Amino acid sequence: MPHRTELYEAPPPACWPIVYSPDYNITFMGLEKLHPFDAGKWGKVINFLKEEKLIADDLIVQAREATDEDLLVVHTRRYLNKLKWSFVVATITEIPPVAFLPNFIVQRKVLKPLRTQTGGTIMFLFERVQGVSKATIIDLDAHQGNGHERDFMDDHRVYIMDAYNRYIYPGDGFAKRAIKRKVELEWGTEDTEYLQKVHTHVEGALNELKPDIIVYNAGTDILDGDPLGGLAISPQGIVKRDEVVFKAARSRRIPILMVTSGGYQKRTARIIADSILNLHNLGLIDKELATSGAENPRVEQMIRDSAKDFSNLSLQ
């Protein structure tokens, strides 16, 4: 039986298919600036979209914080208990001063935002939605997605395509066994080669198996100049990449969930907002698409009930 959760609910029909909470953003005494990741980028993306008059606060689906029971779907109790020690969280986040903070502050200022981002992303589709029996993960973050690869290692319901810089973290050879379509990129890969490979392999993945839903990891750490990604994709290349993925999903009438993932430059928030605006201008995302256009009526119901997030702003 599915575990009890408060994360699974039908969003208000007037809302945009965007899941967000101000709690996503991590700010505490400037400690967040010690990590290269922009821990406030989600709020910046939302503000850019507000400035363009695309969204308003009352039109956003509010994310809820994941509970321990939600997190235990993929984590062990032992791991969650370790997070009650500040020095463990300091090690995981790579921010050493966190080790000296009382854990109740760490829980509120660091882990609650992460749990809320997780809550905004989680959909227990296989357990809870009739007609959803297979999913495709299209992972275009610069890093190998070894987390979801290990989670779904022996799960034949999940098809994984992963395009990543072959020379950077994590280099998880064991997790690579879960990848059905592997695209290993060289240092400094640029737009033309990258977009050709994305197009070829996204089309190939979706032709090989038509899923009931696509989970799209749209990391912006592929951007030229990113200190960790090691690739050289332009802002326009990122916008075009997202367009390629959404067009492939739309042409096959497959619902898609997009998460923003990695990106270690301050300008990534503007690029994410520009991509969302481009997808809207092309008619690939809007409020009506969140509740219509599915080929299967059961999947259409799924979209209404849970797969409402075309541009969910999440760390995962």
Side-chain angles (χ1 to χ4, degrees):
M1 293 291 293
H3 75 280
R4 296 185 62 184
T5 180
E6 298 297 321
L7 299 178
Y8 187 89
E9 66 169 5
C15 283
W16 271 91
I18 295 177
V19 179
Y20 170 73
S21 167
D23 287 340
Y24 280 12
N25 305 290
I26 301 176
T27 56
F28 183 67
M29 297 174 58
L31 290 179
E32 70 280 358
K33 297 179 181 177
L34 298 178
H35 194 280
F37 189 85
D38 182 359
K41 75 172 183 179
W42 306 279
K44 295 174 184 176
V45 172
I46 292 297
N47 287 336
F48 284 136
L49 296 178
K50 287 179 180 177
E51 289 172 6
E52 298 291 338
K53 309 300 183 184
L54 182 69
I55 62 172
D57 286 333
D58 59 346
L59 299 179
I60 299 171
V61 179
Q62 292 296 311
R64 296 183 178 186
E65 181 181 357
T67 66
D68 278 3
E69 291 303 308
D70 296 318
L71 298 175
L72 285 169
V73 172
V74 293
H75 294 298
T76 64
R77 176 67 69 180
R78 181 170 177 266
Y79 174 78
L80 296 183
N81 286 338
K82 283 185 177 180
L83 299 181
K84 297 176 182 178
W85 296 90
S86 296
F87 75 90
V88 173
V89 179
T91 301
I92 293 171
T93 60
E94 299 179 338
I95 305 177
V98 168
F100 301 100
L101 297 175
N103 192 256
F104 76 90
I105 293 178
V106 174
Q107 293 290 329
R108 187 170 70 245
K109 294 294 186 177
V110 179
L111 295 181
K112 181 178 180 179
L114 298 179
R115 288 191 294 263
T116 306
Q117 293 160 20
T118 301
T121 303
I122 285 177
M123 299 180 306
F124 301 109
L125 294 180
F126 296 135
E127 292 182 346
R128 299 177 183 276
V129 181
Q130 183 182 9
V132 177
S133 60
K134 54 188 180 296
T136 290
I137 296 174
I138 297 175
D139 188 345
L140 301 185
D141 186 90
H143 299 81
Q144 177 199 349
N146 63 325
H148 61 74
E149 287 158 12
R150 284 175 173 261
D151 288 342
F152 298 110
M153 176 66 68
D154 298 312
D155 194 331
H156 299 295
R157 300 172 299 180
V158 180
Y159 180 107
I160 297 175
M161 172 197 157
D162 196 351
Y164 55 89
N165 184 336
R166 65 191 305 168
Y167 300 108
I168 63 174
Y169 176 89
D172 190 335
F174 175 77
K176 288 180 184 180
R177 293 166 47 192
I179 304 174
K180 299 294 192 301
R181 186 171 285 260
K182 179 170 58 179
V183 186
E184 294 192 322
L185 303 170
E186 301 294 324
W187 287 108
T189 298
E190 297 181 348
D191 285 16
T192 301
E193 177 186 355
Y194 180 77
L195 290 171
Q196 183 272 325
K197 287 184 175 179
V198 167
H199 181 270
T200 297
H201 289 285
V202 167
E203 291 288 328
L206 297 178
N207 288 339
E208 191 170 330
L209 173 72
K210 183 177 179 182
D212 299 311
I213 187 168
I214 296 168
V215 179
Y216 171 37
N217 186 9
T220 48
D221 51 359
I222 65 171
L223 181 64
D224 187 22
D226 189 281
L228 300 182
L231 303 176
I233 309 305
S234 70
Q236 296 79 14
I238 291 176
V239 171
K240 184 63 178 179
R241 175 201 65 176
D242 295 347
E243 181 183 322
V244 167
V245 176
F246 272 74
K247 282 184 174 178
R250 182 71 182 281
S251 69
R252 293 167 174 81
R253 304 174 69 85
I254 304 172
I256 181 170
L257 162 79
M258 172 177 161
V259 293
T260 59
S261 194
Y264 304 91
Q265 299 182 74
K266 298 298 183 184
R267 55 184 177 144
T268 60
R270 177 72 258 183
I271 296 169
I272 293 167
D274 287 344
S275 180
I276 293 171
L277 291 166
N278 180 61
L279 294 171
H280 172 60
N281 291 337
L282 292 172
L284 294 170
I285 60 171
D286 58 37
K287 285 185 284 188
E288 287 70 29
L289 281 175
T291 56
S292 66
E295 189 174 75
N296 184 325
R298 292 178 298 179
V299 175
E300 184 173 334
Q301 183 62 44
M302 173 199 68
I303 300 173
R304 284 195 292 266
D305 289 348
S306 64
K308 68 271 185 179
D309 180 13
F310 283 101
S311 51
N312 178 30
L313 311 181
S314 169
L315 247 186
Q316 296 196 343

